[in-house]
Amino acid sequence: TAAREAEAAAAARAEERARALAAREAICARLERTDVRPESIDEARAEWDALPAMAEDGDERAARDRFERAIALSIKRHEQRDAAAAAEQTLRAIAAEAASLSGNTLDEAVSRWRSLKRRWKETEQTLTNLAMDPPADAVEQLRGADAAIAEREGEAREQKLKVAAEHVARLDRLSDRAERIAKADAITLREGDRLMRDAKTALDERAPEVKPDGYDAAVARLRGLLEQVGPKVRELRELDDWRRFANAQVQEDLIRRAEALSAELEADAAAGKASDLGKAAATLRDLQAKWKNAAEAPRDRAQELWHRFRTPVDAVRGRCSEFFAKQAGERVANLQKKQELCERAEALAESTDWVQTAEAFRALQAEWQAAGPIPPRDARMLWDRFRKASDRFFTRRRDDLASRKSVWAENLARKEALCERAEALAESTDWDAAASELKRLQADWKTIGPVRKSRSEAIWKRFRAAADRFFERYHNRHQVMLEQKSADREAMVAEVEALASSEGDAQPENLGARLQELRAKLRVPPPLNRSEIDAQNARVAAALARAVERWPSAFQGSDLDPEAALKRMEKLCVKAEALAENAEPSEETPRELSQAEALAAKLRQALAANTFGGRGAEERGPSLQDQLRELQTAWQRLVIPHTDGAKALEDRFKQAMTAARDKSRGRKELTRA
């Protein structure tokens, strides 16, 4: 029993110890979580202290060490969280302040921005030590502020560069002016003074903060040119001083003359003598005009001389007041006359009688010039009114003339088109179509309006020349056609000769086919001179012979093949010899008929056979002369090779043909006998 009790007591103690350890582990586990609040630490410590005591051993010490570590870790974690929160708050404040720098001047903003960037890096390091990132919203806001500052700095830099570039451009422009003045043969003092003044202002300006390329070179160039211009300006200034000095002498003389005129008028008034006020007024105007031309006097005496001149001038003007009053009355009459001229001009402004109205306006302008002066305050207004009416008419006349010129130009373009078409038809050989179209062009010409007189005759001669050219050719069209056919045939003969005489040993492409094509075209006899055709045929035969001799392979299998030609020559020789042995008297004259005569004879025979029921050619058979002509024609179509065999056959054929003709001629004479 005691053992059981001891065992039960040991089990109870073990169970109580296990509960105590479990409670301590639960407290430690709760403290080791990352989301422990600061007040939970105090609660955990109070709860730990309230736990029943345990026997001090390794487990109890391990639990207490774990608890202390958990307490320290929780406190440290809380302190880090507070530090991170403070750092994040500081970073957001820095970002907000950076974003507000847009309202500051650029220099203030840049200075403050550098300070804020340093604070940001220091505060950001705190979060880096805690393995934390700065708040994204603050980072984004700071980046925006950074971009804004950078943009403002870029704009400021560009503005400075622009100002500097403008400064350099101004220096270059001044240098160009100085260079032109330095190279000029003559300049004015005003031009030189203005250049020197502008150049001094530009050179005295503070140098730009950012010096662009070429700034120093532009300054050096301008200074160098000013050294060339300076002596010229100084010389002109000296000349101007001399001119002013000379003007002072002129002004002195004008003052004496004005004083003399004033004294003369006063003397006449004192003596009761009438003065010539018109002459005095004219003299006064002359003096004033001359003073104006010599107005520049030495600067130290200019005002004094002007007062001395104005005093007698005012006195003379006062004496001439009566004359001026009369002159004013005349000007009023002139004013009324010019008003009437304005009304007459305005009445004519819309006229379309261009010639008569233009003459009327010229007369009005002459009257205007003769009307005399009017009060200055009305002169400009009335002149503008008169000129406006005159301009209105002449502008309308000019517009009408321009409109007519446009119509003339359009008509000229249409007639030029007809000329071009007529010139294109002038060499046409499509006679009927071209003649019809030219007649239509002539009818169209009549429907087109006039052109400028200076062009009318020339364009008509051009059109008529083209039409005359065609109709002259039209009346001689048969001769033209013969000339064209002769030219075409000559071109084909020349092409045959060119192909046969091609340079080099290489055979021309498609030689055989091209020569056969040309031969076929040349076989059609044009209505040309027989001797000309025979000469061309001889040239063609010679050219073909040369081609066959040079390139025989190109003609194999064709009627130009040398071997085939020899065979045909042999056959024709046999036929000719057969005719020579069996020749009968000819019904025709022994002379050889031309191709046209032979064709006519055949037609007569055919008509006789068909019309009168006579025996056809097939029944009677061809006459000996016809057979001989056929053989001769067939022989002439051959291209005879330049060989000994061909020469022998040619001699044989000639002998047979001669024998056949002689034998036929002899039999005919015997029959007649």
Side-chain angles (χ1 to χ4, degrees), residues 52-234:
M54 288 179 57
E56 187 171 349
D57 55 10
D59 291 337
E60 195 277 336
R61 285 194 298 274
R64 182 178 291 108
D65 292 342
R66 180 183 177 187
F67 176 73
E68 293 298 335
R69 285 196 304 274
I71 289 293
L73 182 60
S74 296
I75 292 172
K76 182 178 180 182
R77 191 180 297 120
H78 178 65
E79 291 175 350
Q80 290 177 345
R81 188 181 296 113
D82 290 344
E88 289 180 353
Q89 184 177 1
T90 302
L91 291 178
R92 286 191 174 91
I94 292 172
E97 185 176 355
S100 66
L101 293 177
S102 58
N104 297 8
T105 63
L106 180 60
D107 292 339
E108 294 175 351
V110 170
S111 176
R112 186 59 184 157
W113 168 246
R114 292 171 180 166
S115 175
L116 292 175
K117 285 178 70 175
R118 288 193 298 270
R119 286 180 55 199
W120 176 278
K121 290 181 179 179
E122 294 171 357
T123 307
E124 187 180 26
Q125 187 61 39
T126 301
L127 293 178
T128 303
N129 295 336
L130 297 174
M132 296 179 65
D133 295 327
D137 57 339
V139 172
E140 187 66 26
Q141 192 174 20
L142 188 72
R143 288 175 180 171
D146 188 12
I149 292 293
E151 183 178 0
R152 291 181 64 186
E153 287 181 326
E155 292 175 354
R157 189 179 304 105
E158 291 178 1
Q159 183 62 27
K160 290 179 180 179
L161 289 173
K162 182 179 179 181
V163 171
E166 290 177 353
H167 192 184
V168 172
R170 186 163 68 255
L171 292 174
D172 288 338
R173 289 194 297 271
L174 289 170
S175 296
D176 293 339
R177 283 173 55 191
E179 187 173 7
R180 287 195 300 271
I181 291 175
K183 293 180 179 179
D185 295 334
I187 62 172
T188 63
L189 177 60
R190 178 178 299 179
E191 185 180 10
D193 280 340
R194 185 165 58 249
L195 171 65
M196 299 298 289
R197 184 172 57 255
D198 294 343
K200 183 177 183 304
T201 301
L203 292 173
D204 289 344
E205 288 185 10
R206 188 178 63 180
E209 297 180 9
V210 180
K211 288 186 179 180
D213 295 339
Y215 173 79
D216 294 334
V219 171
R221 180 191 175 202
L222 180 58
R223 292 187 185 279
L225 289 168
L226 290 180
E227 291 178 358
Q228 301 177 33
V229 175
K232 286 188 175 183
V233 175
R234 287 191 294 273

Side-chain angles (χ1 to χ4, degrees), residues 595-657:
Q595 192 173 7
E597 291 172 334
L599 180 61
K602 289 182 180 180
L603 288 173
R604 284 196 299 272
Q605 292 175 4
L607 288 172
N610 293 332
T611 305
F612 302 106
R615 221 161 32 97
E618 292 80 1
E619 297 176 359
R620 294 196 310 269
S623 66
L624 177 60
Q625 293 297 329
D626 290 340
Q627 295 180 49
L628 289 174
R629 277 193 294 272
E630 290 177 1
L631 286 176
Q632 186 67 38
T633 302
W635 185 271
Q636 290 175 350
R637 291 176 179 171
L638 293 174
V639 178
I640 300 174
H642 292 176
T643 61
D644 293 339
K647 179 63 176 174
L649 288 173
E650 189 172 11
D651 294 340
R652 178 182 167 188
F653 179 77
K654 287 181 179 179
Q655 293 174 1
M657 291 292 290

